[in-house]
Structure formats: structure tokens, C-alpha cells
Amino acid sequence: MARTFPMQDKVAIIGVGRSPYGRDLVGRTTPSLVAEAARNAITDARIPKEEIDGICGTHAVEFEDLQEHLGIPRITWTSNIMQRYQQSHQIIYAASAVFAGLCRTALVARGSRAYAGSSARTNPFRATADRRGSISRTPVETSLEFEGWWAHVGDAYGAWGARYMHEYKEPREAFGMIAINNRMHASKNPLAQLRTPITMDDYLNARMIREPWSVLDLDFPVDHGDACVVTTVEHARELGVDDRMVVLHAATLGEGKSGTNYYEQTPDIRSLATWMVADSLWEKSEIKRKDVQIFFPYDGFTFIALFWLLATGWCGLGEAHDYLKAQLLPDGATLKLDGRTYLSTNGGSLSEGASQGSNYIYEAVRQLRREVEPERQVEGCSAVLLTIGGIFHNGSGMILRRA
Amino acid sequence: MTVTIGAPTTYRRALPRRTPDNAGYFDSLKAHAMKLQKCANGHFRFFPGPICPRCSSLEFEWTPVSGKGTLHTYSWVYRPAPGFEDTIPYCYALVELDEGPVLATNIVDTTPEQLKVGQRVEVVYADVTPEWTLAHFRPVQ
């Protein structure tokens, strides 16, 4: 079959690193978390820092900051993403840069001290997250475009979830099964923040936040820093680090017609960013659903993860509850899709901690390198599917495989 | 009809930012007679913007609309966004106007028990500060 994606299997992630995750890391700044993650990623890649010649930062910690903090002498490619965009975007931008030859080895890093200046003890769960609004735009009370503001406090997700339930007769239990699965995986993950397993009764009785979403449908904000090192497969071999590289098989970004500030004009569910990403990703990939051992659908809300699951074709609209019930393992919590594919083996944003999907990349790389704790390691893990981003905007997808 | 929410000086919710592109819309709300942009080829659009997303026409007129529409979907919010602490729960909604565009808004004068997707709704002009009037909606009686 003719390759429709020239970059297929040409770029690799050779290092991943992160800072500690925590609800309120008193004494830490965003730059300190991001720098620690970057240092750890370079160490993990087993290269000298001078090898880095391209950097992608964010509007919170820019490439200039990273270059200076890390003492990297010379870079030939630079980029900063918006803070509300994901590490998957950084990786895909970096992949295109190393593939095009603008640099050879790129560092990408992002993070957030979401609770800077406040304390989880004085700001009960969610209060701060609501007040924070979009971390990329301050202050939320005055400067946002009126419509965009709604989207970022999350009400739009509730409304679209309600529309999906109305139109396709999906019960809330479908979303609950995502929350329960992710928490069960988190219970086994020493890096996860929320490790007490939950039941469907817990889910259905949880405190309502934005109907139909209760507190167990929403991610768990944490302070965090995450980083990756990206280079070409060819250069990874020259560097002698190809034994642990993870190869980028297919990648895409995706936006539907009505993104971020215009989401209310979204004509229908099928025109959301999730479907743009899924359609594009499958076109670019020779690895298919049946070939992946883990699926990481971004779970800022349970609803987003479920939409990624629908968009990537595991089951049809309105069929998720029936489908997921048939994928349950005997523990009554863990999902194994089509008998082959685990879902969110680290616990995701819902339970490991919310880092805009960066934690999925960290977990994916380590699962593919087969270096997570033996009791969590997915046997024979050779390819994974990641779909990261919200439904209205910042969609992205990647298929990673073992070298 | 007019609803005044709170004393003007204590209104704490997000307010729009007036630009040359959207001033016609907010001026029309202030006058309690909603107008939307209608391009030279007859396409209504919302949120106000510089170009027609359907036909790329740069020509438009601020054109009166009925203020009536259908409830596309909604979410009752129990953990309030900033400024909404005085009305819990409040109803966030997407309303599809009879002229086509969809507005993000609040539904007022209703309860969780009464509201249904597909219900007919009509605009309520809320004079929230001396400078600003916003479009809320309520079920058609």
C-alpha cells in the first residue's frame, strides 16, 4: 500500500521526563517544574544537553527561558505553543521540524503551577479550577471574548454532553464506565493522585457540578511539568540511542469548523474536532485499531474520552454503554476493548492527574519500552493510540510504536 | 420585557468586550431589539464577525431578528462560575434562533423540572449594568 504520510516511522521520541505531580506543590514555580521535567527528559534520552538544537516551550515558559535555564548553547528551531494546547502538539511540531531538517534534536516542555498563590486547603476541589478559567488568558473576569469565556469554564461541555445523551439516548453510565476504568488503573499506579477504586454507585451519587457532569466526570488538576526529546529515527541511530526509542508512526492535528471561541455554532457532533482528528489519523496510519494494545483518549472530562472512543470507531454513536459493558474484565471495572486494547493504563487526567494529556505520552512511551512496574506492564505492548485534546479545539492524534 | 439582575454596581459576571465588529449587536440589545449581521447574500451569522463564514461576503447589515428560537441543549450548573454565586443552579444553554444562528445564553424564569430540549424560547433583555444589556432567554409561555 502506498504511503500517504511521508513522515511515517521517520521520527522518534528518545526521552521522556516529568516533575513530581501534586495537588499543591508549595514552593515550586511553573519554570521550576518545567525545567526539572526537561532535565529529566534529556537524562532519559542519554544525550548531552548540547545535543539539543531546537526547543518548543509554551507561552508560560518560553523557549528562551528553557534555553537559559538549561544552559543550552545553540538552537536553530524555536516555537512556543499556547498554554492551553498540549504536549502532543509540541511533539508533532517538533517532529515536523526535525523531519524537515530545521533542527536535529528537539526538546519540548510544558507544565503548570495551576495553584500558584493559592492552596488546595483553602480552595476546595474545583473552586479554583473554575475561577482559573483558561490559564492562557488572564484575568478571566474581564478580558475574554464573551463567548469564549463560557467554553472555558466548561459549561459548554455539559451542554454538548446533554445534547449527545438526548440525541443518541446514551445513559450517564457510559461516562461512568470511563471514570471507573481510569480509577482502577490509577489504583495500581504509584504516580497517580487518586487511587481509591470507585463503583457505579459512587459515580451516580457523586456531587453534581455541571449537569450532566458530577465531580467524578471532571479531571483532577495538579501542578506538573512534562518534557520529551524528539529526533529523527536516523539521528537516534547516529546517537546510539535507538534501542529505547519510540517511533512516531502517524500523527495529526485537527480542528472542527467551530473551535474554541465559536463552539456554539458547531453544526453537529460529527463536525467536532474529535472526528477531524480520527479521520485524518486513520488515513495516515497503517497500524489500525486492532493493532494497538493501549488506547489513550484524553479525559479532561469523561465525556471527552468517550467522544474520542466514538470518533476513532470502537463503536457507534449511542452504542457506548452497551459496547463498554461487553468489554469489562472480571474485576467489573477494567475495560479491554475488543479483547485486545486497554484504556488509559495510568489513570489519565481523571485519576493520575491533569496535565493536558502529557501523562499519557509519558505512560505510552514507558509502556512501549516495557519499563513500567511489572504488575502494570501490558504484555506485548508494541503500538498505542493517543488522541489528545478537547472536543471543540486543540485536537491531536498519534500512533506510537516500538522501534 | 426587561429584567434587572442585581444592583448595577455589584454585577460581577464576565462582560463582553466591545469591538467595531460586534458593537452593532450589543447596541441592539441595549435598545431591546436584537439585531444580527445579515450578509449581502442573506446569511445571518453569530458571533458577530468581519466576514460571512458561508459565502465570504464582507457586506452586511444589522438586521432585526425575531428573538424566538428553540432550545438546542442546556446544562444546569451547580458549582458556579465567577459572579454566578447568587443564582445556583443556573442554566447555561445553546439556543437556535429561528433565523439560524446559535447563541450561548442563560435560560431564566424556569426550573430543572420544566426545561426540555426542543422547547420554544424567547429573548429576555437583561440590563445588567448601565452600559450593558445581555440576551437571556425564557420558555415561551
Side-chain angles (χ1 to χ4, degrees), chain A residues 145 159 207 209 211 263 265, chain B residues 17 73 75-76 78 92 102:
Chain A
E145 293 288 347
R207 184 160 55 92
I209 305 293
E211 205 171 49
Y263 65 88
Q265 302 307 322
Chain B
R17 187 173 60 196
T73 185
S75 172
W76 285 95
Y78 293 84
Y92 163 87
V102 179

Side-chain angles (χ1 to χ4, degrees), chain B residues 28-121:
Chain B
S28 78
L29 299 186
K30 182 93 180 119
H32 291 201
M34 183 189 282
K35 294 179 181 177
L36 298 184
Q37 287 163 298
K38 187 174 167 184
C39 81
N41 293 313
H43 305 135
F44 279 102
R45 66 177 180 264
F46 191 84
F47 198 73
I51 183 167
C52 176
R54 281 177 66 186
C55 67
S56 302
S57 169
L58 296 170
E59 314 299 323
F60 66 85
E61 278 189 31
W62 289 103
T63 307
V65 293
S66 64
K68 291 191 168 25
T70 304
L71 184 58
H72 182 70
T73 185
Y74 62 93
S75 172
W76 285 95
V77 181
Y78 293 84
R79 189 81 185 207
F84 286 79
E85 295 84 352
D86 54 344
T87 46
I88 302 170
Y90 61 91
C91 184
Y92 163 87
L94 300 181
V95 167
E96 185 172 4
L97 290 181
D98 290 348
E99 291 79 7
V102 179
L103 278 66
T105 185
N106 288 130
I107 307 293
V108 297
D109 300 341
T110 188
T111 64
E113 293 71 32
Q114 291 171 344
L115 217 51
K116 299 273 182 298
V117 167
Q119 192 163 343
R120 294 290 293 163
V121 292

Side-chain angles (χ1 to χ4, degrees), chain A residues 142-162:
Chain A
T142 57
S143 72
L144 276 182
E145 293 288 347
F146 189 54
E147 298 294 313
W149 178 78
W150 290 106
H152 288 284
V153 294
D155 301 350
Y157 288 88
W160 271 97

Side-chain angles (χ1 to χ4, degrees), chain A residues 66 75 134 169 278 304 308 326 343 351:
Chain A
L66 283 163
I75 54 178
S134 168
K169 311 299 173 216
I304 300 176
W308 282 121
L343 197 68
S351 289

